[in-house]
Amino acid sequence: MIAVVLAVVALAWFAARRLTGEVSYQDLMAALSQMPWWAILAAIALTGISFAALTVYDFQALDFVERTVPRGMVALASFSAYAVGNTAGFGPLTAGAVRYRFYSPYGVEPDVIARIVVFASAAFGIGLTGVIGIGFLVAGDDFDSLSIAPVGLQILGGVITAALIGLWLGAGKGRSVTLFGYQVALPGRGLLIRQFLATSVDVAASAAVLWVLLPPGAIGLPTFIIIYSVAIGLGVLSHVPAGLGVFETVIFAALGPRVDVDQVLGALVLYRVIYHLVPLALAALILSALEVRRAAAAPMMAAALRGSTRLAPAVLGALAFAIAAIEIFSGVTPLSERSVAWLTDRVPLSLVEAATFFDSILSVLLLVIARGLVYRLDGAWWAALIIVPLSIVLSLVKSVALVEVALLSLLFVALLLSRRHFSRHASLLHQALTPNWVLAVATLLITAFALLFYAYQDVEYANDLWWQFEFDQNASRSLRAMLGVMMTATVVAALSLLRPVRERLAPPSEEDIKKALEIGRQQPRIESAFVAMGDKSVLFSEDGKAFIMYGRQGRSWVALSDPIGPREAWPSLIWRFVEMARAVGGRAVFYQAGPDALSLYADAGLSAFKLGEEARVYLPEFTLQGSRRANLRNCMNRSTRDGLTFTILSTAEIPAHLDELRAVSDAWMTYHNVREKRFSLGAFDPDYLYQTPIGILCQEGRIVAFASLLLTDHKVEASVDLMRFLPGSVHGVMETLLVHVILHFQSQGYEWFRMGMAPLSGLSDSAAAPIWHRVGRMVFDHGEWFYNFSGLRTFKAKFYPQWQPRYLVVSGGISPMLALADITVLISGGLKGVIGK
């Protein structure tokens, strides 16, 4: 995929180069210098209108999914997200991850945020298509530069318009339709109209940003809006970051016969600055202002501060990336005559040459630092704090670049104010580069080459160029700057590719297990007990106060539950685990993650998919009284008549009863024809059973059922793990055992009793739900032939628990399905266990 996109970038710039073959770099600079100030101010104002219209996407999406978020927070989230996304256009900085950081504190679930992202994307796509269709229908005659006959464009526009009208008529007050075999929920007609108007304003305003920068009267605004819409659509479909190259090529091809190409090129340069760079810089200014006022007590300010905390690294990383790109482009293009004249009498030539070369090296390093800033590395923050001031000095020396100096100064101040957000201790150079990041950097370097060849298209290459040192030898200076860029990029790539691979998959030592169990006993959650199985590796936090237990199957590195330990240790521990998996080409997975830490996983670039729901009984309110629990009360009464007695075996008493417990376990497994499970469940292993007490039911002195108990010193949560009973014993023995265990923990002052997860439970079958939900719901409803999903939930529902969602957290795409398959193999103890139960 990366190779295809890079090929598209290269072809786009090649086409753009052919279309601008008659325009020199000097012509471009002249066009920029002649741009009237009123046009620039108008473009800035129109940019504001476009971003205001973009906020409507989020407001409408939240209404559609019936969620409420403070309006000021929605506006801040939308502006910041689009400011970052329009410029960076890749991976962790955009779409769901950014929205999740803002909306999750207000109780918006991950699957609902996914629906918000789908709504916004679909709304933009449909609105953009509608603008194109209506434009072709009513203004097909104006596109004489295209090879398609006007009547063909009008027919195409009519078809598109008719399809959208049909969609609107079919929506009614809100219904679902079948598209490509899937049920798709539609908003009501009123919402569709409002969203189309918002998209039309957004597209028209953003098109007008570029239009006002073109010569007056060059082309009508309605016609240009259609051209712009097509260019934006093709840029999105190309998957090129920010549509770089693809967008420009379409604009050149459409406007070439109407407008001087040098004026089009100048307008495009200013458009990228005004519509992309200015909002990003403004977002950084807003975040800096929030940091200055973080002591403010107003509720709205507090909410804004929470949002800035989540987005500051992304915004500053994107700003650093954009500035690095500007620095690289500046190094490979000629100095202005004014700069040459000013530098000639004031700065030695050797300093100018050295400043240009070393600034190109620092620019590439800033690209690496930008990624580290996104991932909250303290090393990236310190490196930026050193490199940015150096770049300010070099920018002044090499070309008196005041705009670059201003942007670098803004970044430096924002970094100083945002120090608290960069607290992760991890290697900056030993980070595994993600495909999206590689794509963004490669796109930037291809663009730099295109600029170099464009700026010096009239200069014939000669080896002597490398050794010419004069103030007016711009080609030589730019060649050396490009060499510095490529050399540094090559070294960074080599360090990334040749770094040592450390899989750290050794089984845990006895000391590791004891340390992990001790940490777990001091925490309110009970998952730490599973580390005693010894089948999971352990990753401790740097301070040794928290850990993740994990296994590996295929490419999946699977952590069981959330991290165990103090909450403040979780973010860095999650990042370490994700990067450890990525470093060896694996995917990080968190199985049965709770809802409280999903924002931390989103920060690490992971997505959450609902697995099911866990049953939790609130012990202070549990009672056998009342008609709802009559069945449980009858089980207890029957067990008394049958002579069943309940006892707790302490860890010291377990060895004496081990053989009898084993007999019950073997009989149960033989009766059900199953193998021992692993990873997320305990097995009948003496070393594991000796760690916790066991609750037993006896009849006439013989054990007929038992359950290993999971508990901690905090007495907040308790649960059971291994539950076995003698086939053919008293009816309802498992319900009886569970009631005894619940009453025991209630008497001990525990707050919650966890009954485990009901897989695929609670997934929505709504037409508006994600495909993951609908497939899971279908399996839940009709998959009894290989697992009793609904029966398990029905059994647990007898205790009238509270249901809490549990998630599979992993990277997107098809990774959830692959990860779930790997987890199944892990739990079953291998592929043989999957096939043979």
Side-chain angles (χ1 to χ4, degrees), residues 18-30:
R18 295 292 299 271
L19 291 168
T20 59
E22 302 302 321
V23 181
S24 68
Y25 184 79
Q26 290 71 26
D27 294 334
L28 170 61
M29 292 296 102

Side-chain angles (χ1 to χ4, degrees), residues 490-765:
T490 302
V491 170
V492 171
L495 288 175
S496 176
L497 292 174
L498 299 179
R499 66 184 184 280
V501 175
R502 295 168 292 177
E503 297 197 9
R504 291 191 253 176
L505 273 180
S509 64
E510 291 186 10
E511 291 75 14
D512 287 341
I513 293 176
K514 290 180 180 178
K515 181 178 178 181
L517 288 173
E518 181 60 31
I519 292 173
R521 277 191 287 269
Q522 298 171 13
Q523 303 303 316
R525 296 166 51 224
I526 48 85
E527 286 89 351
S528 61
F530 293 111
V531 78
M533 282 291 296
D535 61 344
K536 292 172 281 292
S537 300
V538 181
L539 176 67
F540 289 100
S541 61
E542 292 182 354
D543 59 8
K545 295 180 179 179
F547 70 93
I548 286 175
M549 48 184 168
Y550 67 97
R552 196 186 87 169
Q553 176 63 40
R555 289 186 55 237
S556 297
W557 292 58
V558 186
L560 179 59
S561 80
D562 299 313
I564 308 294
R567 176 80 178 199
E568 57 269 18
W570 289 19
S572 61
L573 196 51
I574 289 171
W575 275 104
R576 283 181 59 201
F577 181 72
V578 170
E579 289 167 347
M580 183 174 67
R582 286 176 178 167
V584 293
R587 67 175 72 85
V589 184
F590 288 84
Y591 178 64
Q592 294 192 15
D596 297 336
L598 294 183
S599 61
L600 302 180
Y601 299 122
D603 286 341
L606 306 181
S607 300
F609 300 85
K610 192 173 182 180
L611 276 174
E613 293 179 317
E614 183 186 55
R616 296 162 55 88
V617 177
Y618 186 55
L619 295 179
E621 296 179 357
F622 182 79
T623 177
L624 294 179
Q625 304 303 314
S627 59
R628 293 202 309 170
R629 293 190 171 94
N631 289 335
L632 297 180
R633 190 167 60 250
N634 292 335
C635 280
M636 293 294 288
N637 293 334
R638 186 169 56 248
S639 70
T640 301
R641 292 194 301 270
D642 292 335
L644 293 179
T645 58
F646 176 75
T647 308
I648 299 290
L649 295 179
S650 67
T651 54
E653 295 173 314
I654 294 174
H657 296 81
L658 186 62
D659 291 340
E660 193 174 1
L661 294 171
R662 189 190 302 276
V664 173
S665 177
D666 291 344
W668 182 85
M669 293 183 66
T670 301
Y671 177 78
H672 290 282
N673 190 27
V674 296
R675 295 161 50 101
E676 289 282 14
K677 303 300 182 182
R678 299 280 174 172
F679 191 69
S680 65
L681 299 169
F684 195 92
D685 183 330
D687 291 337
Y688 174 66
L689 293 177
Y690 293 160
Q691 300 294 327
T692 60
I694 294 178
I696 61 173
L697 275 180
C698 296
Q699 187 178 41
E700 298 178 355
R702 182 180 64 148
I703 298 176
V704 295
F706 72 89
S708 59
L709 309 182
L710 305 179
L711 61 162
T712 70
D713 296 341
H714 274 241
K715 292 190 175 183
V716 174
E717 292 182 350
S719 186
V720 295
D721 177 28
L722 210 61
M723 294 186 65
R724 307 281 162 88
F725 64 91
L726 279 177
S729 59
V730 178
H731 177 72
V733 66
M734 297 309 291
E735 289 94 330
T736 302
L737 178 58
L738 276 175
V739 172
H740 276 295
V741 170
I742 289 173
L743 293 175
H744 166 74
F745 284 122
Q746 185 185 56
S747 67
Q748 296 296 311
Y750 282 81
E751 185 175 357
W752 291 97
F753 179 74
R754 293 172 54 176
M755 300 187 67
M757 189 176 69
L760 305 182
S761 170
L763 300 185
S764 174
D765 59 355

